[in-house]
């Protein structure tokens, strides 16, 4: 990846630089032309892995206010930079171009914490410079080769002659010593993510979906031991590797773009599944995660283990081939066995340890895993489905009594129950998972933990001003104790949970609340250049305001980019059942964004396109042969 400010120059300050495998390959790349630094005039993203910086320069003393030279820098995440000089005057120019280079070869964690260390001495190498330390090497090569290379100053120089209207370029390549070029997974012909497009009355949908798909492709990683299997990195710059729960959640939200990403993610994580006879046997391991100001850290391994069978079951509905589903079924069975053994004789799943609080969000994940897992087991004639349904029914009955807190406002779900039976009443975005019940056969949503009255009350709460910031759903209500608009689970807007709330509210028929949250995220996306961060401050939206970035947010982030896909496809309410050869549409009748046309999606392994009219009517415009419209 490459990180810089809008000025384009890499100064070595903060996080600036080119990175590969978590190490800063180049921290400084400063261009001077005719002894002066060009004046930056524009910076923009061309693609998820490409940025372009434009600058101008006056090299003649009597030229007046107009520039003589335009300096264009195109920077690529794979370690390439092209510096192009354009002569925009009617006389020839002879220019000295200097590029000052340096690096510390520091690891990203050291850079982020201010422990990067000094710049390393350079040596002349081939047509550029080289740096080395005990942990690695980095080389910058230039084409054409420089006229001078000064190792002591870290400087490359060219004498460039530009005819009137002429153009000359210098290309720099940064990479570890001896390493070949990087080949981005998402740029290959075998990318698992379909190039879906959106169009409609609201012009924002087209650019949002385009950016989300580009970010997803840029975040793709290969399993080193099994290169055919791909999954998503959690996000840049902080979490460039696999985060199991995030990878599964993002793969689930992107099922409308095909099932290949889900299959690769599931296969990769199945190889990490714990075996043996201990209490953790069957788990997909994952790190602990802060759960906000009112709860102890939660276990992302618990979430990943519960997401695994749910994703496999839904991927089958979207068109995952039967053979691939069967190959992954044993791993899903082990996840479900872990669920049953951990629950034991009680109705609830503890998280992360027995004796700790019982989290509302965890019970929602567990209930969905049991319902979808039972459906999956039945489809392949495996035992255990009936037992899972019986436990899910027991959980449902207990949850409606134990986790619902009655109050004057109509009640609310508890965020958790402590080991001594106390209900923690604060309202957060984790409650949105209660609306995410999962997809069964014939386009039916699985039953949830809440009854109809409780669901209606939850919808009212999520759509109220305490939770809906105008930019999306707060992770903790604004009226709750310890609310902090920058708290990543204490008040900031988390895009993933906002998208889950929108899809869940729409499916339950609460389109007013869903539409408000949807429009808020779209407005925020515009302020962030359509590249959604994983979270941003939950400050209330006012006229003329903009969402405040969170300093620790990843951008791009797998869950945020995948959320864009879920937000737009929720408008059409696509519910496929590929094994049965049907697809059911449950569009948002209120058509909150007007008419929208989604093309290039994937259902049952074939292109799928759908249009939702301004009247909220959905029409299939392209589908697999033999796929029937359900009711």
């Amino acid at each position: 990846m490459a990180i810089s400010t809008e000025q384009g120059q890499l100064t070595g300050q903060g996080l600036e630089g080119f990175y590969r495998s978590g190490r800063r390959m180049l921290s400084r790349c400063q261009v001077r032309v005719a002894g002066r630094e060009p004046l930056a005039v524009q910076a923009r993203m061309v693609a998820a892995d490409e940025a372009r910086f434009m600058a101008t320069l006056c090299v003649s003393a009597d030229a007046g206010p107009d520039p003589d030279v335009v300096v264009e820098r195109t920077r690529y995440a794979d370690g390439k930079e092209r510096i192009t000089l354009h002569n925009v005057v009617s006389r020839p120019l002879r220019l000295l171009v200097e590029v000052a280079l340096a690096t510390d070869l520091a690891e990203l964690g050291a850079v982020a914490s201010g422990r990067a260390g000094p710049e390393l001495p350079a040596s002349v190498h081939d047509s550029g410079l080289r740096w080395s330390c005990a942990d690695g090497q980095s080389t910058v090569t230039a084409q054409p080769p420089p006229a001078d290379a000064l190792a002591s100053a870290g400087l490359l120089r060219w004498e460039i002659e530009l005819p009137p209207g002429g153009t000359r370029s210098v290309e720099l390549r940064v990479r570890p010593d001896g390493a070949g070029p990087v080949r981005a997974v998402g740029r290959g012909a075998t990318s698992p993510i379909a190039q879906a497009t959106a169009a409609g009355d609201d012009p924002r949908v087209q650019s949002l979906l385009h950016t989300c798909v580009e970010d997803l492709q840029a975040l793709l990683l290969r399993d080193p031991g099994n290169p055919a299997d791909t999954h998503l990195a959690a996000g840049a710059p902080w979490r460039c590797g696999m985060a199991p729960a995030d990878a599964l959640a993002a793969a689930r939200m992107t099922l409308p773009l095909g099932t290949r990403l889900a299959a690769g993610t599931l296969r990769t994580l199945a190889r990490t599944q714990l075996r043996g006879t201990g209490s953790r046997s069957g788990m997909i391991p994952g790190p602990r995660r802060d759960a906000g100001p009112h709860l102890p850290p939660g276990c992302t391994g618990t979430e990943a283990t519960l997401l695994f069978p749910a994703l496999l079951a839904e991927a089958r509905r979207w068109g995952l081939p039967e053979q691939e589903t069967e190959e992954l079924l044993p791993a899903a069975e082990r996840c479900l066995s872990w669920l049953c053994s951990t629950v034991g004789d009680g109705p609830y799943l503890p998280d992360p340890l027995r004796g700790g609080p019982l989290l509302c969000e965890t019970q929602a994940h567990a209930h969905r895993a049991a319902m979808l897992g039972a459906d999956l087991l039945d489809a392949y004639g495996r035992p255990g489905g009936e037992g899972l349904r019986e436990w899910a029914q027991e959980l449902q009955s207990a949850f409606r009594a134990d986790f619902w807190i009655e109050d004057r406002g109509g009640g609310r779900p508890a965020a958790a129950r402590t080991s001594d039976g106390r209900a923690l009443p604060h309202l957060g975005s984790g409650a949105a998972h209660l609306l995410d019940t999962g997809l069964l056969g014939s386009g039916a949503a699985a039953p949830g933990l809440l009854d109809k009255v409780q669901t209606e009350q939850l919808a009212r709460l999520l759509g109220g001003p305490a939770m809906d910031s105008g930019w999306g759903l707060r992770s903790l209500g604004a009226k709750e104790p310890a609310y902090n608009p920058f708290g990543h689970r204490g008040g900031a807007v988390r895009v993933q949970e906002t998208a889950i709330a929108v899809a869940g509210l729409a499916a339950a028929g609460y389109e007013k609340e869903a539409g408000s949250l949807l429009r808020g995220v779209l407005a925020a996306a515009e302020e962030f250049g359509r590249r959604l961060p994983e979270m941003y401050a939950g400050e209330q939206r006012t006229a003329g305001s903009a969402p405040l970035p969170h300093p620790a947010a990843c951008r791009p982030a797998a869950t945020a980019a995948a959320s864009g896909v879920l937000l737009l496809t929720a408008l059409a309410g696509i519910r496929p059942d590929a094994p049965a050869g049907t697809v059911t549409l449950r569009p948002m009748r209120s058509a909150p964004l007007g008419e929208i046309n989604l093309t290039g999606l994937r259902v049952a392994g074939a292109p799928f396109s759908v249009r939702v009219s301004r009247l909220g009517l959905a029409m299939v415009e392209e589908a697999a042969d033999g796929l029937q419209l359900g009711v």
Side-chain angles (χ1 to χ4, degrees):
M1 64 181 174
I3 302 174
S4 67
T5 70
E6 292 184 345
Q7 299 302 306
Q9 299 277 38
L10 296 180
T11 65
Q13 301 298 310
L15 288 173
E16 291 183 29
F18 282 96
Y19 292 79
R20 180 164 171 171
S21 300
R23 187 174 297 279
R24 183 153 64 178
M25 295 288 103
L26 191 70
S27 59
R28 189 153 55 91
C29 182
Q30 293 175 289
V31 175
R32 291 172 65 86
V33 179
R36 299 166 60 189
E37 187 169 317
L39 175 67
V41 295
Q42 186 188 72
R44 68 184 184 91
M45 295 295 298
V46 178
D49 56 356
E50 180 182 351
R52 183 169 296 157
F53 306 89
M54 303 297 293
T56 61
L57 192 72
C58 294
V59 296
S60 303
D62 57 350
D66 299 334
D68 304 302
V69 180
V70 174
V71 181
E72 177 183 0
R73 299 175 69 171
T74 306
R75 183 169 295 148
Y76 301 87
D78 64 359
K80 182 173 68 176
E81 177 153 342
R82 184 180 299 111
I83 304 164
T84 303
L85 277 66
H86 304 270
N87 182 353
V88 295
V89 295
S90 58
R91 62 186 182 279
L93 297 174
R94 185 180 180 88
L95 303 171
L96 174 65
V97 177
E98 299 175 305
V99 180
L101 304 168
T103 189
D104 47 25
L105 287 175
E107 292 187 352
L108 176 60
V111 177
S113 60
R115 299 181 289 105
E119 294 178 348
L120 298 169
S123 61
V124 176
H125 178 77
D126 196 9
S127 60
L129 298 175
R130 177 186 180 188
W131 301 263
S132 61
C133 67
D135 298 320
Q137 304 88 29
S138 177
T139 301
V140 174
T141 56
Q143 187 61 40
D148 293 301
L150 305 177
S152 59
L155 199 65
L156 303 181
R157 287 177 174 164
W158 292 262
E159 287 278 355
I160 290 180
E161 294 185 3
L162 286 173
T167 297
R168 287 283 301 277
S169 294
V170 171
E171 188 169 285
L172 306 175
R173 291 183 178 270
V174 187
R175 62 185 56 163
D177 196 20
V182 176
R183 184 181 180 187
V185 180
R187 292 298 182 199
T190 59
S191 172
I193 297 172
Q195 289 280 358
T197 60
D201 290 341
D202 192 322
R204 297 175 297 181
V205 301
Q206 180 178 1
S207 54
L208 176 62
L209 185 57
H210 174 78
T211 303
C212 288
V213 170
E214 279 233 321
D215 282 349
L216 290 167
Q217 290 178 328
L219 290 168
L220 283 172
L221 298 176
R222 295 189 188 278
D223 182 355
N226 298 268
D229 291 337
T230 56
H231 60 271
L232 290 168
W238 312 112
R239 299 193 295 152
C240 297
M242 161 74 88
D246 285 1
L248 288 165
R252 183 171 176 241
M253 289 189 284
T254 56
L255 283 173
L257 304 182
T259 61
R260 289 177 55 206
L261 176 62
T265 304
L266 289 166
R267 283 193 291 264
T268 299
L269 288 175
R271 289 188 279 268
T272 73
Q273 191 172 36
L274 301 179
R275 306 293 182 92
T277 58
S279 62
R280 302 182 67 212
S281 177
M283 281 196 75
I284 306 294
R288 291 201 176 188
R289 176 175 62 198
D290 182 75
H294 299 288
L295 295 168
C299 178
T300 61
T302 298
E303 183 178 344
T305 306
L306 298 173
L307 275 169
F308 191 103
L311 174 58
L312 181 59
E314 289 189 319
R316 176 175 175 265
R317 296 294 176 193
W318 280 89
L320 184 66
E322 296 292 340
Q323 181 180 348
E324 293 185 58
T325 306
E326 284 194 82
E327 290 171 354
L328 287 161
L329 192 56
E333 287 182 295
R334 288 189 289 270
C335 291
L336 295 170
S337 295
W338 170 84
L339 169 61
C340 293
S341 63
T342 305
V343 167
D345 296 329
Y348 299 121
L349 178 67
D351 180 30
L353 300 170
R354 293 185 182 276
L358 303 171
L359 304 185
C360 166
E361 183 178 331
T362 300
Q363 311 318 309
H365 291 318
H367 186 265
R368 182 180 61 235
M371 295 301 299
L372 272 60
D375 186 59
L376 186 64
L377 294 177
D378 288 353
Y380 289 92
R382 303 291 184 98
E386 189 58 35
L388 286 168
R389 289 191 187 89
E390 290 176 0
W391 173 76
Q393 182 63 47
E394 180 186 357
L395 171 62
Q396 185 186 79
S397 300
F399 187 92
R400 292 176 180 179
D402 296 340
F403 271 79
W404 191 260
I405 302 172
E406 296 292 350
D407 58 29
R408 294 180 180 178
R412 61 170 59 189
R417 283 176 56 87
T418 62
S419 57
D420 59 2
R422 289 185 299 109
L424 300 182
H426 63 273
L427 182 65
S429 60
H433 292 280
L434 293 168
L435 301 171
D436 179 18
T437 59
L439 180 66
L440 296 176
S442 303
L449 285 174
L450 300 180
D451 61 28
K452 185 176 181 180
V453 173
Q454 292 169 338
T455 300
E456 182 177 0
Q457 173 64 4
L458 177 59
R460 189 182 68 81
L461 292 171
L462 295 181
M467 291 297 294
D468 185 352
S469 70
W471 301 113
L473 191 69
R474 293 186 177 96
S475 54
L476 184 66
K479 297 181 180 179
E480 302 296 332
Y483 164 74
N484 172 6
F486 281 93
H488 71 286
R489 292 185 183 273
V493 172
R494 293 177 50 82
V495 175
Q496 175 188 352
E497 285 164 347
T498 302
I500 287 170
V502 169
L505 288 166
Y510 300 99
E511 295 190 6
K512 178 183 176 182
E513 294 81 0
S516 177
L517 291 171
L518 170 63
R519 288 187 291 268
V521 175
L522 257 65
E526 286 295 294
E527 298 293 337
F528 288 111
R530 296 165 299 281
R531 171 178 269 183
L532 282 164
E534 63 177 324
M535 59 183 169
Y536 42 88
E539 292 278 5
Q540 186 64 40
R541 182 181 179 183
T542 58
S545 68
L548 296 176
H550 193 292
C554 285
R555 178 175 173 265
T559 53
S563 293
V565 178
L566 178 60
L567 286 167
L568 296 182
T569 54
L571 291 165
I574 307 166
R575 300 182 182 183
D577 188 351
T582 65
V583 61
T584 303
L585 301 178
R586 293 287 185 269
M588 292 178 67
R589 297 293 185 181
S590 57
L593 302 182
E595 182 173 304
I596 183 171
N597 190 17
L598 300 169
T599 61
L601 304 176
R602 304 284 295 184
V603 174
F608 184 84
S609 300
V610 61
R611 180 166 61 91
V612 181
S613 72
R614 298 181 185 91
L615 299 177
L617 301 175
M619 291 153 280
V620 174
E621 298 191 330
E622 183 182 21
D625 291 341
L627 192 66
Q628 300 294 315
L629 191 62
V631 293

